């Protein structure tokens, strides 16, 4: 029979063991509970630059906060098939961050639409100086009126036309064709200026609409055309570069303002750094992606851009009347070296 002392000893060891396990469990649980979890959404495929950039942003934030902030990236429309849904999700607080093209942003902040004007940017250097400068910051800050926090500008790229009917070399080749554009008045007016029909459509509906010939064509940067294998439903690609498409990394304003000041600063600084990282991915891959599209059977053409610049120019006077306040900003962008 066990001595009383032995039983007591075993009980005490058991109690001590229980207390230790409990304490470490509580510590682990509270550490887990203390980690701030955030959702970052996009509509593009997992290997697209938006998501490469988003994962890099998440990695740097986790590192800089010692693991206190854990951002999970949800690509491919998991949290919303269309980019407008992602923006609304951030307003409602169901999504914390997103990378979207500026197209649908115009419905939330009109001033951002200035960037969607045709042939506004000369080249990538011009883009960087403007978007990383006071004009870019002002347009990002304007998003606060829509309860969104603009952190920095990732890149979608220069947009080009694809279609299934014929090569598009001159504006007159667009006559009678129907194109999808983003939900953006400037883009709609610009495509109509070429003599084509233009329909606004959420990205999630485009592939099927091309496949079933509800529309003849669409326009996007090479990385999107390549990423979604649009060569499967489109024969012709014209490298018009008619719109530059920025892709702001935005955050729910409520979630941003809930961060301590030090972390608010960290989020903006890291977003600006990673924007350069993301743009480089887009730019470094473009030529190879064009070669792939050719190898996959697409008829790829370069065009004389000057005739498209001239054909789309009237769009500027249309919107200058509607938004007179844009004029000084357009001049400032054009003068930027
Ligand atoms: O942001 O909708 C579009 O055409 C965009 O370029 C696409 O969603 C990526």
């Amino acid at each position: 029979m066990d001595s009383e002392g032995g039983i007591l000893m075993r009980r005490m060891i058991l109690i001590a063991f229980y207390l230790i396990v409990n304490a470490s469990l509580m510590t682990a649980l509270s550490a887990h509970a203390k980690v701030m979890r955030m959702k970052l959404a996009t509509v593009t495929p997992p290997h697209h630059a938006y998501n490469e950039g988003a994962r890099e942003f998440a990695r740097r934030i986790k590192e800089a906060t010692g693991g206190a902030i854990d951002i999970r990236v949800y690509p491919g429309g998991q949290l919303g098939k269309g980019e407008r849904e992602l923006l609304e999700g951030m307003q409602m607080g169901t999504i914390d961050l997103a990378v979207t093209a500026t197209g649908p942003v115009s419905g939330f902040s009109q001033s951002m639409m200035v960037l969607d004007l045709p042939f506004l940017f000369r080249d990538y250097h011009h883009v960087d100086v403007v978007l990383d400068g006071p004009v870019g910051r002002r347009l990002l800050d304007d998003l606060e009126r829509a309860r969104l926090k603009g952190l920095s500008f990732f890149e979608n790229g220069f947009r080009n036309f694809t279609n299934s009917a014929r090569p598009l070399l001159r504006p007159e080749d667009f006559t009678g064709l129907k194109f999808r554009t983003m939900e953006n008045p400037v883009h709609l007016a610009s495509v109509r200026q070429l003599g084509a029909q233009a329909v606004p459509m959420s990205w999630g509906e485009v592939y099927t609409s091309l496949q079933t010939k509800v529309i003849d064509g669409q326009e996007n940067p090479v990385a999107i055309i390549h990423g979604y294998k649009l060569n499967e439903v489109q024969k012709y690609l014209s490298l018009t570069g008619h719109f530059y498409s920025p892709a702001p990394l935005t955050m729910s304003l409520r979630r941003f303002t809930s961060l301590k000041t030090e972390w608010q600063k960290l989020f903006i600084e890291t977003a600006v750094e990673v924007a350069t990282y993301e743009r480089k991915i887009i730019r470094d891959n473009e030529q190879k992606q064009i070669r792939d599209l050719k190898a996959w059977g697409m008829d790829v053409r370069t065009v004389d851009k000057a005739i498209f610049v001239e054909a789309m120019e009237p769009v500027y006077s249309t919107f200058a009347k509607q938004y007179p306040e844009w004029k000084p900003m357009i001049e400032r962008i054009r003068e930027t070296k």
Side-chain angles (χ1 to χ4, degrees):
M1 273 286 289
D2 282 342
S3 69
E4 258 181 48
I7 293 169
L8 192 59
M9 178 55 80
R10 257 206 302 282
R11 274 210 196 115
M12 284 173 70
I13 291 169
L14 269 176
I15 291 167
F17 177 70
Y18 166 76
L19 289 173
I20 292 166
V21 168
N22 192 26
S24 44
L25 207 61
M26 295 315 282
T27 320
L29 280 175
S30 66
H32 182 79
K34 276 209 196 76
V35 172
M36 202 184 273
R37 298 184 195 288
M38 294 185 185
K39 295 178 179 169
L40 191 162
T42 77
V43 300
T44 58
H47 57 275
H48 181 260
Y50 286 5
N51 301 303
E52 303 278 3
R55 285 189 287 270
E56 180 61 17
F57 177 75
R59 189 189 66 73
R60 293 188 193 188
I61 292 291
K62 191 167 195 169
E63 195 177 273
T65 60
I69 298 183
D70 187 7
I71 300 170
R72 183 162 163 209
V73 179
Y74 293 82
Q78 290 175 49
L79 302 185
K81 290 277 170 259
E83 293 184 331
R84 183 163 37 74
E85 288 160 75
L86 304 187
L87 295 160
E88 288 161 354
M90 285 187 285
Q91 290 185 315
M92 294 186 290
T94 53
I95 294 173
D96 301 298
L97 300 122
V99 182
T100 71
T102 44
V105 176
S106 57
F108 298 77
S109 179
Q110 257 155 28
S111 62
M112 190 68 87
M113 236 185 334
V114 164
L115 301 179
D116 298 315
L117 287 163
F119 299 103
L120 180 66
F121 291 97
R122 296 182 297 273
D123 51 35
Y124 286 130
H125 168 74
H126 187 202
V127 164
D128 296 344
V129 182
V130 170
L131 296 188
D132 299 338
V135 168
R137 183 43 62 190
R138 143 75 204 280
L139 294 172
L140 289 170
D141 291 347
D142 282 354
L143 289 168
E144 293 193 19
R145 284 195 288 254
R147 294 176 282 120
L148 297 168
K149 180 69 189 173
L151 299 178
S152 72
F153 283 106
F154 281 18
E155 177 161 278
N156 193 6
F158 281 99
R159 301 176 77 94
N160 308 289
F161 285 103
T162 66
N163 85 103
S164 52
R166 56 178 171 262
L168 301 172
L169 304 176
R170 311 180 60 78
E172 47 272 29
D173 298 334
F174 285 71
T175 310
L177 294 179
K178 194 172 182 180
F179 287 86
R180 173 266 180 182
T181 73
M182 290 192 283
E183 297 138 309
N184 181 290
V186 169
H187 285 194
L188 282 166
S190 305
V191 173
R192 288 174 184 147
Q193 191 64 42
L194 294 176
Q197 285 178 61
V199 282
M201 191 185 283
S202 169
W203 179 249
E205 300 157 44
V206 175
Y207 189 93
T208 316
S209 304
L210 292 169
Q211 205 170 30
T212 55
K213 300 217 179 302
V214 170
I215 47 176
D216 302 303
Q218 63 87 53
E219 43 83 54
N220 248 296
V222 169
I224 295 286
I225 298 166
H226 184 274
Y228 283 91
K229 298 214 170 6
L230 292 188
N231 53 289
E232 294 164 353
V233 287
Q234 299 273 268
K235 175 67 183 165
Y236 303 97
L237 165 59
S238 292
L239 299 171
T240 44
H242 51 280
F243 300 129
Y244 172 71
S245 194
L249 169 61
T250 42
M251 187 167 180
S252 141
L253 184 61
R254 190 170 17 171
R255 199 70 208 259
F256 179 80
T257 47
S258 73
L259 297 172
K260 59 186 179 185
T261 316
E262 176 205 341
W263 284 351
Q264 290 183 9
K265 203 162 157 290
L266 173 72
F267 267 57
I268 292 184
E269 284 170 3
T270 308
V272 170
E273 284 163 21
V274 175
T276 307
Y277 170 94
E278 188 271 351
R279 293 177 203 168
K280 191 169 183 321
I281 296 172
I282 291 278
R283 296 168 191 185
D284 288 355
N285 289 294
E286 195 163 40
Q287 290 314 313
K288 177 187 173 307
Q289 289 167 341
I290 291 172
R291 285 196 299 277
D292 288 351
L293 290 167
K294 283 180 182 165
W296 299 342
M298 259 192 132
D299 175 327
V300 182
R301 308 291 181 103
T302 53
V303 302
D304 172 1
K305 291 191 182 178
I307 50 177
F308 284 91
V309 171
E310 194 189 333
M312 286 183 167
E313 185 61 26
V315 168
Y316 279 80
S317 47
T318 310
F319 286 90
K321 286 194 207 86
Q322 218 172 325
Y323 305 106
E325 71 278 15
W326 286 7
K327 193 159 178 296
M329 200 178 327
I330 294 170
E331 280 159 8
R332 189 158 178 200
I333 292 172
R334 288 203 154 147
E335 283 153 16
T336 303
K337 295 280 172 286

